[in-house]
Amino acid sequence: MDRLSRIGIQVPQDCVFCKAATETLQPLFFECPFTNRIWTRLLSWIGINRSIKGWTEELTWARRMARKKTGKGAITSYVFAMLIYSIWRERNMMRFQQSVFEEHRICREIVLHVHTRGRGQPKWQQTLHSLDRFA
């Protein structure tokens, strides 16, 4: 939204999820209570318990996870990518199509994608067996 404003297009500046912060990269991803909660839930599902930081720190952490040669590392980086895509898609749908935000639906959609993608990834198999349920 800040980029659109700089080129003269008037749009609401508030975060579509929490309505509290100005929508920029940093608050939208991980600082907004709603997007933070989704990431926390997904990490918990994978079996990772850590405090969520800002965009730069989370991106650095996800990069480190992606370099690991384990199924859990690969799944975590895949979930991270799906989360970024899903948040951006939901944000656009809410902003431009008046869609309704449903945290549980987004989480379940990402979990389904992980299981679907994981069928063809041999090194994911052991980790996927422990990730059968999502609450």
Side-chain angles (χ1 to χ4, degrees):
M1 302 287 47
D2 57 337
R3 197 174 334 156
L4 290 174
S5 290
R6 281 192 301 248
I7 62 172
I9 298 173
Q10 296 302 314
V11 291
Q13 295 293 307
D14 58 329
C15 172
V16 296
F17 297 110
C18 69
K19 308 282 190 248
T22 300
E23 185 182 289
T24 60
L25 181 71
Q26 212 44 349
L28 181 63
F29 295 101
F30 310 118
E31 288 180 12
C32 170
F34 294 93
T35 58
N36 184 295
R37 194 168 48 239
I38 292 171
W39 183 222
T40 301
R41 284 181 70 182
L42 290 167
L43 286 175
S44 177
W45 172 67
I46 298 169
I48 298 172
N49 184 12
R50 58 184 291 274
S51 60
I52 308 303
K53 309 236 181 336
W55 168 257
T56 305
E57 295 89 349
E58 291 304 300
L59 186 58
T60 301
W61 180 83
R63 253 189 252 139
R64 275 197 314 272
M65 289 301 287
R67 282 189 231 131
K68 292 185 176 188
K69 302 295 183 200
T70 64
K72 189 172 188 173
I75 289 169
T76 303
S77 63
Y78 185 79
V79 168
F80 181 83
M82 282 295 306
L83 175 70
I84 299 307
Y85 165 77
S86 297
I87 289 171
W88 191 250
R89 184 198 63 213
E90 288 298 314
R91 174 246 179 233
N92 286 339
M93 288 174 58
M94 290 172 69
R95 174 91 48 207
F96 302 114
Q97 298 173 3
Q98 287 70 49
S99 177
V100 176
F101 173 70
E102 297 177 55
E103 178 183 324
H104 191 71
R105 178 184 50 80
I106 294 166
C107 290
R108 291 191 57 81
E109 179 182 296
I110 292 171
V111 167
L112 178 64
H113 275 275
V114 168
H115 279 285
T116 303
R117 167 79 181 207
R119 288 184 193 147
Q121 305 293 324
K123 74 177 179 180
W124 292 25
Q125 295 309 308
Q126 184 177 0
T127 304
L128 278 179
H129 288 298
S130 67
L131 300 178
D132 282 343
R133 301 214 185 267
F134 180 76

